Amino acid sequence: METPSSGKASGSPPGRPGAPDFRGDHSTDVRQLSDCTQACAELTAALPSRPERSPAQHAEADRAQAAARRARHRFLQLHADRVHDEVTAGSSRHLRLGELVFTAADHYPGLVPTRAQIDADRLLPQAAKSGGEVDQDIFFAHLLASRDTGERLLRSMLTPTARAVDLLPEFRRTGHLDLGEAVIHRDGHVAEVTICNQHVLNAEDDAVVEALETAVDLALLDDAVSVGVLRGSVLSHSRYRGRRAFGAGINLTHLYTGKIGFVDFMLRRETGYIRKLIHGLHLGSGHSPLDLPGGKPWVGAIDTFAIGGATQVALVLDRVIAGSDAYFSLPALTEGIIPGVANMRLGRVVGRRMAQRLIFFGERVAANSPDARALCDEVVAPEEMDRAVAAAADRLADPAVPSNRRMFHLAEESDDLFRTYMSRYALEQSARMHSPDVVAKLERTWVNRRRPGGSGGRTELAREAPAHT
């Protein structure tokens, strides 16, 4: 941390911004933060564009960016709770991640990038982005590090999405909705949510996360539903045509081309639909404090494979049924990123050593192998999947299941543990996404994908190639 001083830092070359002298007075510190970050931005803007910079100019830009980030860290160490309180009007507004960070950008110039700045970055490949997402994640890391503010933020992410609330009357009436990247269908007391991103082996991206959270909300909001089922759709890819697959993890092409948002994907999927699969919905302050979110039980149907993020999701489901020809894998190191909350949950399920083999060495676990007993509850022939899933859903419809699963989750994963993990995850994952080695790995995957005889035309197919398994 840079030592606070007044004016420009001692020994700084002309034009280099100095460290703000934050003293804890909110209005003064807000002004100093704005002055510092603006000066850093002006210094960077005066340099040539990134591809045209000399090594010395790259170093100067890096120093300016680092100075601005040190200022943001220090400001939020002092004022994170006050910032959240002001932006949410004393927590009376349940703002989701995107709403919160862009409202903060309007209230506190220089604290986080504006919506326009992030939108401009989304037009660029990952290698060319400004790194503004890292500044967003500094913001969320500090909010989550505070127990009271972090808990309020996480509760806000358990509220139903506006899209789900709007669609609920239609779903209650028809029992079926096509959300584009997901379909939800109610059959009796069971709501089946199907991931529909067939051309990329049901890989996840921002749009899939949006559709899945909407579908999960609908299943949780509909009183006629007592059990949910999560499954992948039948694929259109030539290698798997006619077969279902649970999911292929993150959409690598979207990551390479800069279309995977850290807030809208990395943070939202963990604090949104995945956590709702565990805890259900938070329905606001009008409900009794004893009416804690408990959610509904979920069955996972693992057809063909659960790669990366799909295995992460399987870890939180109440009953996992796999086809005998299916497998699990977590090849996050192939891309150089962190596999969501798997680093916290996987060791509890399979043990520390096996978790490290999966994450560090990309070990693939066949569903019909002894090791898979820790990852799935039942293995059946592919043609028996429908029957086994239906039987599991009927069993989990027992009225005593919700209370028991609530107690399981209370014992296994406290809100404090999750909040602390996510605070650190925000910093670590955003740094990983913008690190040179990740960009280089994405570039190699992209070149291989486009080379004749390479991995093929699908975003995640590199994970299927022998070199990556």
Side-chain angles (χ1 to χ4, degrees):
M1 185 69 64
E2 192 168 290
T3 304
S5 62
S6 58
K8 295 193 179 294
S10 176
S12 298
R16 184 179 297 178
D21 183 19
F22 295 134
R23 298 292 182 87
D25 178 77
H26 185 71
S27 59
T28 302
D29 289 354
V30 168
R31 185 171 62 255
Q32 287 198 72
L33 173 70
S34 179
D35 290 345
C36 174
T37 55
Q38 182 178 349
C40 291
E42 289 173 353
L43 187 153
T44 304
L47 297 171
S49 63
R50 292 181 67 180
E52 298 173 351
R53 289 174 190 166
S54 67
Q57 289 168 333
H58 275 294
E60 187 65 20
D62 289 345
R63 282 192 292 269
Q65 187 177 64
R69 287 177 178 161
R70 285 193 294 270
R72 293 183 180 106
H73 273 295
R74 180 56 181 155
F75 177 84
L76 287 164
Q77 284 175 338
L78 295 169
H79 302 292
D81 291 339
R82 172 75 177 269
V83 169
H84 183 268
D85 192 61
E86 287 195 359
V87 170
T88 61
S91 296
S92 63
R93 302 173 64 199
H94 291 287
L95 299 183
R96 294 173 59 79
L97 297 174
E99 298 171 301
L100 182 66
V101 74
F102 290 131
T103 304
D106 294 337
H107 279 67
Y108 293 89
L111 179 60
V112 285
T114 64
R115 186 183 298 273
Q117 289 170 324
I118 292 296
D119 286 348
D121 252 11
R122 292 295 293 268
L123 301 176
L124 302 173
Q126 190 68 20
K129 285 188 175 184
S130 69
E133 290 174 328
V134 177
D135 300 318
Q136 290 181 318
D137 302 324
I138 292 170
F139 173 75
F140 285 115
H142 283 278
L143 263 58
L144 288 164
S146 167
R147 181 172 185 175
D148 290 343
T149 294
E151 286 182 356
R152 290 196 291 268
L153 174 58
L154 292 176
R155 282 198 299 272
S156 293
M157 288 304 295
L158 290 181
T159 58
T161 63
R163 184 184 182 195
V165 172
D166 289 343
L167 291 172
L168 181 60
E170 182 181 354
F171 179 64
R172 282 176 168 158
R173 180 175 58 84
T174 67
H176 182 90
L177 281 175
D178 185 341
L179 303 169
E181 289 77 11
V183 170
I184 180 169
H185 179 78
R186 186 182 63 236
D187 184 4
H189 62 274
V190 178
E192 181 166 309
V193 174
T194 305
I195 305 163
C196 300
N197 209 12
Q198 297 94 330
H199 68 292
V200 289
L201 305 193
N202 292 331
E204 284 189 71
D205 50 35
D206 289 21
V208 172
V209 168
E210 161 71 25
L212 285 176
E213 184 164 10
T214 302
V216 168
D217 283 352
L218 289 168
L220 293 169
L221 288 166
D222 187 356
D223 293 335
V225 173
S226 56
V227 180
V229 171
L230 189 60
R231 198 168 191 180
S233 59
V234 175
L235 301 177
S236 58
H237 191 278
S238 58
R239 184 172 177 180
Y240 299 97
R241 185 170 289 118
R243 296 172 63 185
R244 287 182 183 263
F246 190 62
I250 192 171
N251 184 325
L252 288 178
T253 291
H254 278 206
L255 182 58
Y256 174 80
T257 56
K259 294 182 175 64
I260 294 291
F262 193 88
V263 171
D264 290 334
F265 184 88
M266 296 292 182
L267 289 185
R268 176 179 177 176
R269 75 186 292 271
E270 302 298 343
T271 60
Y273 92 84
I274 293 180
R275 198 155 183 264
K276 287 174 176 178
L277 291 171
I278 302 172
H279 296 293
L281 300 173
H282 176 69
L283 297 174
S285 58
H287 291 252
S288 164
L290 296 178
D291 186 18
L292 300 173
K296 298 175 182 179
W298 287 85
V299 179
I302 312 300
D303 298 283
T304 308
F305 50 72
I307 301 173
T311 290
Q312 297 168 31
V313 173
L315 293 174
V316 308
L317 302 176
D318 300 284
R319 182 77 173 176
V320 176
I321 301 169
S324 56
D325 60 345
Y327 69 87
F328 300 84
S329 69
L330 273 167
L333 259 65
T334 301
E335 294 85 44
I337 58 177
I338 300 168
V341 187
N343 301 62
M344 184 176 77
R345 294 176 178 141
L346 186 62
R348 184 178 69 225
V349 174
V350 304
R352 172 70 179 269
R353 292 297 175 188
M354 184 174 172
Q356 290 184 165
R357 295 201 303 272
L358 284 164
I359 294 173
F360 293 164
F361 294 92
E363 186 170 306
R364 176 191 287 193
V365 180
N368 59 6
S369 70
D371 282 344
R373 290 298 299 167
L375 292 169
C376 57
D377 302 289
E378 187 177 356
V379 180
V380 300
E383 62 270 18
E384 291 294 312
M385 286 290 287
D386 290 349
R387 178 202 58 77
V389 168
D394 283 344
R395 177 67 175 174
L396 290 175
D398 188 292
V401 167
S403 293
N404 278 280
R405 73 188 295 275
R406 186 156 47 235
M407 301 312 292
F408 271 124
H409 292 310
L410 181 65
E412 289 178 343
E413 187 176 303
S414 69
D415 288 346
D416 269 354
L417 177 62
F418 179 79
R419 178 184 55 76
T420 302
Y421 180 95
M422 288 303 298
S423 173
R424 188 68 192 188
Y425 172 80
L427 294 175
E428 298 281 358
Q429 186 74 297
S430 62
R432 287 276 76 222
M433 287 179 67
H434 292 273
S435 64
D437 67 296
V438 168
V439 170
K441 288 176 180 179
L442 289 171
E443 184 68 32
R444 285 196 298 271
T445 300
W446 183 259
V447 170
N448 183 50
R449 173 180 177 268
R450 296 173 67 87
R451 182 188 300 125
S455 298
R458 98 144 186 86
T459 56
E460 300 297 315
L461 198 55
R463 288 174 164 166
E464 294 289 281
H468 296 280
T469 57

